[in-house]
Amino acid sequence: MKKFIFFISIFILSSNLFAQNITITQLTDLCDKGLGEVEEYLSANKWYFFQGVDETDEKYGNAKFVFDRPNYGPGVDAYYFITHYISENDKATATEILFRDKNLLDAFDLQIKNLKYKLKDSGTRDGSIIKVFQKGGKTIEVSIPPNFEGTNNYKLLFAKNKDYRKIRG
């Protein structure tokens, strides 16, 4: 009976994850791709490009995507965002997903554990709890906001270890 309940729980958690058409493995794989490849992959999975920012001496450039909202803009609600960071100067990339759904965070946490990522560091930044996981040259940073009331975003940042050090300084 416990196994049955466990598998039902996994299914429920996973259904939210697959609703966004993206997994932990796919997000880590995006870190190895150029912007054109990222745009093509995400567009094929109902993610829509809505903003780009050029790289400066102080900040990486980025491209932002929203899930399942082709007409996203002022006054349009959205709950899932991906930002792909790029730096020609530092030769680095990273991918970040933002979302409000606690069930999705639980599904991502389960995938991180199942993929055998190891917790390497934890602390706080800007009032959020930060957990840093690593495995095989890849880093996942999980940011959990305080007093979650559905208005703050959970964030997961994916990068190669060397790029993560550049991004976080």
Side-chain angles (χ1 to χ4, degrees), residues 107-127:
F108 279 146
D109 280 344
L110 183 61
Q111 281 193 25
I112 289 168
K113 288 179 178 94
N114 288 341
L115 291 168
K116 304 208 184 306
Y117 277 82
K118 302 292 182 208
L119 181 64
K120 294 294 182 181
D121 194 17
S122 61
T124 60
R125 183 183 326 118
D126 299 326

Side-chain angles (χ1 to χ4, degrees), residues 56-117:
T56 67
D57 290 337
E58 295 83 34
K59 296 208 177 224
Y60 283 12
N62 67 62
K64 295 181 181 187
F65 301 84
V66 61
F67 179 71
D68 201 25
R69 296 289 189 265
N71 299 317
Y72 179 73
V76 178
D77 284 339
Y79 299 98
Y80 308 98
F81 299 91
I82 288 179
T83 303
H84 186 69
Y85 296 95
I86 44 177
S87 172
E88 293 298 320
N89 296 335
D90 287 342
K91 303 294 183 220
T93 63
T95 302
E96 182 175 64
I97 185 167
L98 285 77
F99 54 93
R100 296 181 181 173
D101 186 348
K102 172 72 165 79
N103 291 328
L104 182 58
L105 178 68
D106 293 341
F108 279 146
D109 280 344
L110 183 61
Q111 281 193 25
I112 289 168
K113 288 179 178 94
N114 288 341
L115 291 168
K116 304 208 184 306
Y117 277 82

